[in-house]
Amino acid sequence: MSKFRAPLSIEQLKEIRKRSDSPDMRAVLWEVRRLREIAAMADELDRSLGPREGKLGLIRAALRVQLDGQPCFVAMSPHE
C-alpha cells in the first residue's frame, strides 16, 4: 500500500485553482506542474533506452512502476 494518495487529475487541479486563486496556491500548482514535467522527461528517457537488462534494468523497472502510476503529463496553461 502506498503512503501517497492517488494522483490528482488536471481537471481536479484546475478546480482547486478556481476555489483558491491565492499567490501561494498558484505557486504550489506551478510546483506540481514542474514535478510532472520531470516525471514526463523520465518517462521519455526510459522509453528511449531500449531493453531493461541487468542491475540498471531493475532500477528502470522500479522507476517504470512509479511512472505508470502517475497521470499523463498534459501541458497546463497558466491562465486556465
Side-chain angles (χ1 to χ4, degrees):
M1 183 172 166
S2 174
K3 62 182 175 180
F4 298 108
R5 293 181 182 182
L8 297 173
S9 69
I10 296 296
E11 292 75 23
Q12 289 171 312
L13 293 171
K14 287 178 182 179
E15 288 300 317
I16 290 169
R17 181 161 189 251
K18 286 178 187 176
R19 291 191 305 267
S20 178
D21 193 26
S22 70
D24 287 340
M25 183 55 69
R26 286 194 300 273
V28 168
L29 292 174
W30 275 108
E31 180 67 4
V32 169
R33 179 178 177 173
R34 185 183 73 78
L35 293 171
R36 285 188 176 191
E37 286 192 31
I38 291 170
M41 288 187 287
D43 175 70
E44 186 176 335
L45 176 63
D46 178 58
R47 291 178 189 277
S48 72
L49 290 176
R52 292 182 190 98
E53 298 172 346
K55 290 181 184 179
L56 183 57
L58 291 173
I59 294 167
R60 288 178 54 210
L63 174 64
R64 172 58 38 209
V65 168
Q66 294 299 312
L67 291 173
D68 286 345
Q70 300 304 310
C72 293
F73 174 75
V74 178
M76 290 173 37
S77 168
H79 303 292
E80 290 183 31

